[in-house]
Amino acid sequence: MEQLLMERERLAEEVLVNKQLLVDYDRKRNGQREALNQWRQGQGMHTANKAWMQLGDMFIRLPADKAKQWIEKDQGVLNEAIETTRNTMHASATALQVLEGSQKIAGFDLKSLNQN
């Protein structure tokens, strides 16, 4: 019985941690999306060939095309991390439901449609 409670607690904690991780990833992704939109509108902190970027607690000046590529590449990495975290959270929530003996939530295992 104690083992069951420990497993339930672990799974619940994993779901909560992954939920917070998704919020953090999304916040970062939105900031990068805003930066790319500013870039497209020509309002960012860049000139024709140099751009300012914040890395941690420092600002550096990079070639503009390299900075834009870096942001776009990081967007791809973030999207993959978000998808992985969502899948992990889904697996943990499903395992928690099974462990608790509750009925499966209708529609919980639906996947979004791709544009392909």
Side-chain angles (χ1 to χ4, degrees), residues 38-106:
Q38 290 292 321
W39 202 292
R40 288 184 196 108
Q41 294 173 3
Q43 298 174 355
M45 293 289 292
H46 69 283
T47 60
N49 54 1
K50 294 282 186 175
W52 287 98
M53 285 189 65
Q54 179 184 5
L55 297 175
D57 59 348
M58 346 181 272
F59 283 93
I60 60 171
R61 196 164 186 190
L62 296 173
D65 57 339
K66 188 168 189 107
K68 186 175 180 183
Q69 288 173 356
W70 201 353
I71 293 172
E72 290 170 345
K73 182 181 174 188
D74 199 30
Q75 283 281 90
V77 170
L78 273 174
N79 287 335
E80 290 175 15
I82 287 171
E83 188 63 32
T84 302
T85 305
R86 281 185 180 150
N87 291 338
T88 303
M89 190 170 73
H90 175 73
S92 297
T94 303
L96 186 60
Q97 283 179 338
V98 168
L99 199 61
E100 291 177 341
S102 61
Q103 291 185 354
K104 190 174 183 181
I105 299 173

Side-chain angles (χ1 to χ4, degrees), residues 26-41 43-44 71 75:
D26 195 47
R27 189 171 289 134
K28 185 174 181 181
R29 183 173 59 172
N30 284 337
Q32 289 178 344
R33 187 180 308 135
E34 289 174 9
L36 288 173
N37 282 336
Q38 290 292 321
W39 202 292
R40 288 184 196 108
Q41 294 173 3
Q43 298 174 355
I71 293 172
Q75 283 281 90

